[in-house]
Amino acid sequence: MNSIELVKTYDPKSFEDRIYAQWKTSGAFTPEHSCDSNKDPFVITIPPPNVTGVLHLGHGLNNSLQDIIVRFHRMRGVPTLWVPGTDHAGIATQNVVERKLKEQGKSRRELGREKFLEETWKVKNEHHAIITKQLEKIGASVDWNRERFTMDEGLSRAVREVFVTLYERDLLYKGNYLVNWCTSCGTALADDEVEHEETTGKMYHLRYYFSDNKEKYIEIATTRPETLLGDTAVAVHPEDERYTSYKGKTLRLPLTERDIPLIFDTYVERGFGTGALKVTPAHDPNDWDLGRKHDLAIINILNPDGTLNENVPEKYRGLNVKKARAVVIEDLIAGNWYVKDEPIKHSVGHCYRCNTVIEPFLSEQWFVRMKPLADKALACWQKGEIIFYPKKWENTYKHWMENIKDWCVSRQLWWGHRIPAWTCADCGKLYVSRNDIDTCPDCKSKNIEQDNDVLDTWFSSWLWPFSTLGFEKVGDSTPDLEKYYPTTSLITAYDIIFFWVARMIMAGLEFTGKAPFRDIYIHSLVRDKQGRKMSKSLGNGIDPLELVDEFGSDAMKFTLSFMCAQGQDVLVDKDSFKLGSKFANKIWNASRYILMNLDNRKLIDNPTLNAADKWIYSRLNTAAKSMHEAFFSYRYNDAAQTAYEFFWNDFCDWYVEATKLSMKGGSDSEKDRATTILLDVLAESLRLLHPLLPFVTEEIYGKLPNTQKEKMLICAKYPEYNEKRNSPIEEKNFSALQSLVSLVRTLRSECGITPDKKLRVLVRAGAELEKPFNENTELIKLLAGIGDLSIEISVKEKPAGSIGMAASGFEVFVYVAEAVDTAALKKKFSNDLEKDHKYIQGLKNKLENEQFIKNAPPELVAEQKAKLEEALLRTEKFSNYIKEL
């Protein structure tokens, strides 16, 4: 067997694209490839990125976590399917195209609906190619043969089927209701598409004079004085003694010729302000409820573009809200209706897409009745059919299901699934149909028109787990639905838990009778080191493709998984990814060292194991068990840390070093034995690491002489826990050996003894360790740089010129006087002690400072206490060294 040359420098660019192409063309990403078809499948559908977006680091985290778990289950030999796809993203995509047209001096109205949609499909196709390339670059092992798009033909049929079915089940209705309106996007938004921001504003106090007495008035307060033009009442509490004598009275609405009634309702808080509330049913959700209760007039004062309409005095028509507010305030002051204003901070709703302030707006829209669906989804969780990781999200889910409101699903856009409803202009009847209608079924008129609106983007997304597997009609099935639905797991961020997660559960139960997945892993968000959300405005975003270019895909994936603890946001900057890069580099260099030392070696069957071999297999066995447990419970950071500790510490720092004893000084047969075991452990270690670092492990695995006849690593068997591999005695003995070596190494460093200086060491071992220490004297000498090692059961007194150290089950004495000038060493320790005493006093002063303890973050206080404890132990140790010398 000849040595195998890995290039000296780890360079992921030289192999990542090549390996991804090999995986893809071999069919390794399909569930049918190299698996036991009789096993239950593991299935994930990707949270579909917006087709006009670019993958950010949040996508990098989400897709890395999915890829890790998918690769783990694929290596377990179960049919594993990860369905990719993209979302048409109605508002976002339409905004992209409209901005593009604006740059060309055009508008969608000028273009017309058909031409505009043609332009949008072009933009969709351009961006889709970018997203596909990005997913490939980060190593996403999705089944590209099953890729879907929320507006492809099959999913469009599913959307229409669900809309019509909801209508048939009386779970869908159309009516004039108050909705959240974005004047910029020109469409209604659901409640959960409105982002509330703390904003500085003003509270304006105004006088509303009684109609029959121009001297008396009621003072009201509002943050939106322009909306008074749509007021239809003033409300007070029925038990508020300030107003009980005014029952039946009306008030003259400022700036208008209208009189509005004074109404009495317990909704009004007597103790808040003057206890009087202006009621604008068309422009406030609470006022809407009051208006319906008291049968008030409903006056909409806004056009869809946010300007004031014909229902206001002519002076204000055509003004936008901001300009109208300024003019109204001027006129209120001039007419003696204005009392005062005061600065306030209040929560203001903004569009989640364009950040425009949301206006409550009276409009005819389509709504889904959500409570019947939510009741089923709540019962599903209560029965344990879905499991949240971490469990804290169960409370959030329960709260939302118990407090759900009807969902406004119509959007005043052109890009999206057009609502399958038709109205006859002649007889006025409305029809909801699975098939297009060109003739009125009732009066046979051809004058029938389809609803111009489209459905909310989330209306197609809530069907994603089953529509992507072929669902097009309630009750029908497909081979993929039969085999892969319900899916196994959903992995997503917490910011869309209600937008998407809860709705998917409701849809799955309603249209398939089953929850769409069992496990719901909600991961945290990626933030910068200061804990801020990454955004363009802050300039703190990190492009995952830049990370891949600089560090490699494996470095990004491993770093994110290593830092992704359940329930905690991931705080990173670019330097954070050096962690994954260094680990990938360590794997490369360790493997390179092993492979370049294979000259004249041969693999043998059934090699005998020495103590170190039994120890490493036992450690590998324990690591495999921990990795399984971590992956099954979505504890990614635990899996990454286990992998890191095993490979870097156990394998590289100890086992590979231990094998040098056989490789350098053993016979040919001993070298063959050691080589065979070393390559076997390396191969299994690469299988253990593969889900976390797929590219570098695949590249090395394919070059190992003991894996040449095997399939690619992506489909190789994942290490499993094997009780027979457990070696508790060897683990205990080798742990003692590690402690002995570490003590000697540490003392060598503290005394400034160079690594090439061979030490004389005496060990006093207890009965349990005397034999294993004696059996491994050469290994101990190699690892600790010892020239003369004596192991005895009893040592009557400390040898002269030595420093003694104790550990569990043994004492070790190092003859430092033979290796260094003791007088100089004592002086060094004394100087170190003097510095430490000053350092300790500084720490004590800080920790005795009440202001520091009161104001410093708890983690900083704990850090200072730990430093103090460490320094005290160090001074105690150095004091003992001086005494012993």
Side-chain angles (χ1 to χ4, degrees):
M1 184 165 58
N2 295 322
S3 292
I4 298 167
E5 185 70 30
L6 286 182
V7 294
K8 186 174 182 179
T9 305
Y10 165 65
D11 178 19
K13 289 181 183 177
S14 67
F15 57 80
E16 286 192 347
D17 288 349
R18 167 173 50 81
I19 286 176
Y20 192 88
Q22 289 171 353
W23 287 333
K24 191 175 178 181
T25 56
S26 72
F29 298 161
T30 65
E32 299 84 6
H33 188 83
S34 301
C35 66
D36 183 347
S37 59
N38 294 316
K39 290 183 177 180
D40 290 336
F42 180 85
V43 185
I44 286 183
T45 52
I46 196 171
N50 290 350
V51 74
T52 50
V54 175
L55 298 188
H56 52 67
L57 196 54
H59 292 112
L61 172 65
N62 180 254
N63 287 293
S64 291
L65 299 181
Q66 290 178 87
D67 190 56
I68 288 166
I69 210 74
V70 162
R71 288 178 183 275
F72 167 68
H73 286 286
R74 185 184 290 122
M75 292 179 76
R76 291 179 56 238
V78 302
T80 303
L81 173 61
W82 184 11
V83 180
T86 46
D87 193 296
H88 67 279
I91 294 176
T93 303
Q94 181 154 319
N95 281 346
V96 168
V97 179
E98 290 205 58
R99 282 197 300 270
K100 188 176 178 181
L101 290 174
K102 191 175 181 180
E103 290 170 3
Q104 300 168 3
K106 302 176 185 176
S107 73
R108 68 177 167 117
R109 300 288 178 190
E110 293 169 359
L111 216 58
R113 186 168 194 147
E114 190 174 328
K115 289 285 186 184
F116 177 79
L117 291 178
E118 286 178 13
E119 288 300 310
T120 310
W121 276 103
K122 288 178 188 175
V123 171
K124 175 264 172 190
N125 291 331
E126 290 168 9
H127 281 262
H128 172 263
I130 296 170
I131 288 175
T132 299
K133 188 65 178 174
Q134 289 176 317
L135 285 171
E136 290 179 343
K137 272 287 185 186
I138 65 175
S141 58
V142 295
D143 185 351
W144 291 108
N145 298 324
R146 287 177 166 88
E147 184 183 9
R148 302 305 299 265
F149 174 55
T150 51
M151 280 178 62
D152 68 30
E153 290 183 8
L155 268 69
S156 296
R157 284 190 288 270
V159 165
R160 183 171 284 201
E161 168 70 13
V162 164
F163 186 92
V164 176
T165 301
L166 286 169
Y167 188 77
E168 292 170 345
R169 294 178 180 178
D170 196 29
L171 293 171
L172 187 74
Y173 63 93
K174 187 179 186 182
N176 279 300
Y177 291 91
L178 206 60
V179 296
N180 304 300
W181 188 265
C182 176
T183 57
S184 176
C185 297
T187 184
L189 299 177
D191 289 344
D192 43 31
E193 292 174 313
V194 179
E195 295 182 344
H196 292 272
E197 298 176 11
E198 191 77 9
T199 304
T200 299
K202 287 185 178 181
M203 182 68 77
Y204 301 91
H205 293 257
L206 310 174
R207 299 183 186 95
Y208 281 35
Y209 290 95
F210 283 96
S211 303
D212 60 356
N213 188 335
K214 299 297 187 289
E215 300 301 319
K216 290 187 176 181
Y217 61 87
I218 290 178
E219 184 178 318
I220 61 95
T222 178
T223 59
R224 301 159 66 212
E226 71 284 355
T227 63
L228 71 83
L229 300 171
D231 286 2
T232 55
V234 170
V236 294
H237 194 281
E239 296 175 6
D240 192 332
E241 294 179 356
R242 291 171 292 182
Y243 304 111
T244 50
S245 63
Y246 296 120
K247 284 185 179 178
K249 296 284 187 180
T250 62
L251 299 117
R252 176 58 58 94
L253 185 64
L255 307 180
T256 73
E257 298 301 315
R258 285 194 292 117
D259 290 332
I260 58 176
L262 180 68
I263 63 172
F264 293 79
D265 197 288
T266 54
Y267 167 76
V268 181
E269 295 181 40
R270 278 178 285 180
F272 184 77
T274 61
L277 178 77
K278 67 188 281 297
V279 182
T280 322
H283 296 286
D284 184 277
N286 296 314
D287 294 3
W288 168 261
D289 292 337
L290 278 173
R292 296 180 72 185
K293 181 178 178 181
H294 292 272
D295 197 24
L296 298 176
I298 297 172
I299 301 174
N300 175 26
I301 64 167
L302 290 180
N303 293 309
D305 64 358
T307 57
L308 273 61
N309 64 19
E310 71 282 356
N311 291 327
V312 302
E314 188 171 350
K315 178 178 183 178
Y316 309 112
R317 294 173 191 173
L319 300 179
N320 63 35
V321 168
K322 186 176 180 181
K323 181 64 177 173
R325 180 173 299 175
V327 176
V328 163
I329 289 171
E330 285 179 8
D331 292 348
L332 288 169
I333 293 170
N336 199 34
W337 289 291
Y338 197 86
V339 179
K340 64 179 179 178
D341 62 66
E342 51 195 5
I344 62 165
K345 283 192 174 182
H346 60 144
S347 182
V348 177
H350 292 72
C351 175
Y352 80 115
R353 278 297 170 198
C354 67
N355 206 43
T356 299
V357 172
I358 291 298
E359 295 290 341
F361 185 73
L362 183 65
S363 176
E364 188 176 45
Q365 304 288 341
W366 288 91
F367 295 83
V368 175
R369 299 185 205 279
M370 297 300 281
K371 191 172 187 314
L373 305 181
D375 288 345
K376 293 179 185 178
L378 186 60
C380 170
W381 164 69
Q382 290 167 336
K383 288 185 285 188
E385 293 172 8
I386 54 174
I387 303 167
F388 282 90
Y389 300 85
K391 287 180 71 66
K392 71 173 185 176
W393 291 109
E394 293 178 350
N395 294 328
T396 305
Y397 178 78
K398 179 174 181 286
H399 175 76
W400 279 336
M401 293 300 97
E402 291 175 342
N403 296 277
I404 201 161
K405 294 181 179 179
D406 286 355
W407 175 19
C408 176
V409 294
S410 45
R411 297 290 179 271
Q412 289 62 53
L413 305 171
W414 286 354
W415 174 247
H417 298 97
R418 194 167 177 181
I419 291 174
W422 288 259
T423 302
C424 178
D426 292 332
C427 69
K429 290 190 175 179
L430 172 73
Y431 298 93
V432 172
S433 173
R434 290 175 176 82
N435 302 308
D436 288 354
I437 298 175
D438 57 12
T439 303
C440 175
D442 188 63
C443 72
K444 309 306 177 187
S445 169
K446 292 283 187 181
N447 194 11
I448 191 165
E449 187 175 341
Q450 186 176 357
D451 196 312
N452 276 316
D453 292 348
V454 300
L455 288 163
D456 179 8
T457 294
W458 299 101
F459 196 92
S460 51
S461 302
W462 78 325
L463 316 179
W464 189 250
F466 51 92
S467 62
T468 52
L469 296 173
F471 170 94
E472 293 182 8
K473 187 172 177 59
V474 175
D476 286 0
S477 190
T478 67
D480 274 4
L481 268 174
E482 285 287 335
K483 190 167 180 62
Y484 303 119
Y485 185 84
T487 66
T488 314
S489 176
L490 174 73
I491 297 174
T492 190
Y494 65 70
D495 54 346
I496 57 171
I497 188 172
F498 186 76
F499 274 117
W500 194 44
V501 180
R503 287 180 183 154
M504 282 192 290
I505 296 167
M506 289 186 265
L509 292 167
E510 184 65 27
F511 304 112
T512 72
K514 300 173 184 176
F517 27 72
R518 182 194 67 226
D519 297 344
I520 304 164
Y521 172 63
I522 307 293
H523 64 76
S524 300
L525 301 184
V526 182
R527 299 182 183 274
D528 68 13
K529 284 286 190 178
Q530 285 74 51
R532 300 174 302 176
K533 194 171 182 178
M534 291 186 172
S535 67
K536 287 182 182 177
S537 59
L538 290 174
N540 61 349
I542 303 175
D543 182 350
L545 290 195
E546 284 184 16
L547 294 176
V548 172
D549 185 62
E550 187 171 345
F551 302 109
S553 171
D554 287 338
M556 183 187 78
K557 185 170 295 174
F558 183 80
T559 301
L560 290 173
S561 62
F562 192 91
M563 302 180 78
C564 187
Q566 285 190 8
Q568 297 177 28
D569 283 337
V570 180
L571 307 185
V572 294
D573 57 18
K574 217 169 186 183
D575 281 349
S576 302
F577 295 89
K578 291 177 180 177
L579 166 74
S581 180
K582 287 176 181 176
F583 188 44
N585 203 60
K586 182 72 171 180
I587 296 167
W588 184 267
N589 288 338
S591 302
R592 181 173 181 272
Y593 164 77
I594 293 168
L595 294 177
M596 67 189 294
N597 286 288
L598 298 180
D599 271 348
N600 303 316
R601 302 277 62 84
K602 61 182 179 181
L603 300 175
I604 63 172
D605 296 328
N606 304 314
T608 56
L609 305 181
N610 62 25
D613 301 330
K614 291 176 183 177
W615 172 78
I616 194 63
Y617 276 122
S618 188
R619 298 297 300 153
L620 180 54
N621 201 35
T622 300
K625 182 180 181 182
S626 297
M627 297 284 277
H628 275 259
E629 290 171 352
F631 284 139
F632 274 108
S633 56
Y634 304 94
R635 289 181 289 107
Y636 289 93
N637 62 315
D638 287 349
Q641 287 165 21
T642 296
Y644 186 92
E645 285 297 319
F646 168 76
F647 193 85
W648 196 303
N649 188 30
D650 293 340
F651 182 66
C652 294
D653 288 354
W654 291 99
Y655 184 68
V656 173
E657 291 300 308
T659 60
K660 291 177 180 177
L661 193 65
S662 298
M663 303 297 281
K664 291 182 177 179
S667 63
D668 284 345
S669 60
E670 170 59 16
K671 290 177 181 177
D672 290 342
R673 185 202 68 80
T675 298
T676 300
I677 296 169
L678 182 57
L679 285 170
D680 184 63
V681 176
L682 174 59
E684 194 164 341
S685 299
L686 294 173
R687 296 205 299 274
L688 187 83
L689 300 177
H690 177 76
L692 298 160
L693 300 108
F695 286 106
V696 68
T697 52
E698 184 75 79
E699 175 72 357
I700 297 166
Y701 195 79
K703 297 183 183 298
L704 300 186
N706 51 328
T707 63
Q708 292 298 309
K709 295 179 182 179
E710 295 184 20
K711 52 199 171 190
M712 288 189 296
L713 175 55
I714 189 174
C715 294
K717 183 176 174 60
Y718 198 79
E720 291 184 348
Y721 178 75
N722 182 348
E723 193 69 41
K724 293 178 181 177
R725 273 190 170 180
N726 266 0
S727 300
I729 295 174
E730 278 73 11
E731 285 218 39
K732 181 180 178 183
N733 291 342
F734 201 86
S735 178
L737 183 150
Q738 288 175 300
S739 296
L740 169 56
V741 170
S742 296
L743 285 171
V744 175
R745 287 176 174 175
T746 301
L747 184 63
R748 178 192 288 274
S749 174
E750 290 169 341
C751 295
I753 302 170
T754 58
D756 60 324
K757 182 72 176 179
K758 298 300 179 186
L759 301 171
R760 182 156 72 100
V761 174
L762 170 64
V763 176
R764 181 173 69 187
E768 288 185 0
L769 293 177
E770 187 264 341
K771 183 181 178 184
F773 279 178
N774 271 312
E775 288 175 348
N776 290 283
T777 53
E778 293 305 313
L779 180 57
I780 295 169
K781 288 164 70 176
L782 171 72
L783 296 175
I786 297 171
D788 183 352
L789 175 63
S790 300
I791 298 167
E792 301 176 7
I793 290 184
S794 63
V795 177
K796 292 180 179 178
E797 57 184 33
K798 183 182 83 68
S802 72
I803 289 179
M805 299 165 288
S808 179
F810 69 90
E811 287 181 287
V812 57
F813 301 94
V814 180
Y815 292 82
V816 294
E818 298 176 2
V820 71
D821 181 339
T822 54
L825 184 58
K826 280 197 286 186
K827 187 176 181 181
K828 175 187 178 301
F829 287 150
S830 296
N831 290 337
D832 290 343
L833 274 174
E834 187 178 341
K835 290 177 185 175
D836 267 344
H837 285 315
K838 291 179 181 177
Y839 177 62
I840 287 167
Q841 192 56 52
L843 289 171
K844 284 182 176 179
N845 290 341
K846 186 180 287 188
L847 291 169
E848 288 169 1
N849 185 324
E850 290 183 7
Q851 288 300 110
F852 172 75
I853 298 297
K854 181 181 176 181
N855 299 321
E859 58 269 22
L860 179 59
V861 175
E863 180 186 324
Q864 298 301 303
K865 288 180 178 178
K867 286 181 177 179
L868 177 60
E869 186 177 351
E870 182 184 334
L872 288 169
L873 290 171
R874 188 167 59 246
T875 56
E876 182 183 3
K877 180 168 66 171
F878 285 168
S879 297
N880 288 334
Y881 286 173
I882 292 172
K883 288 177 185 176
E884 295 200 31
L885 287 170

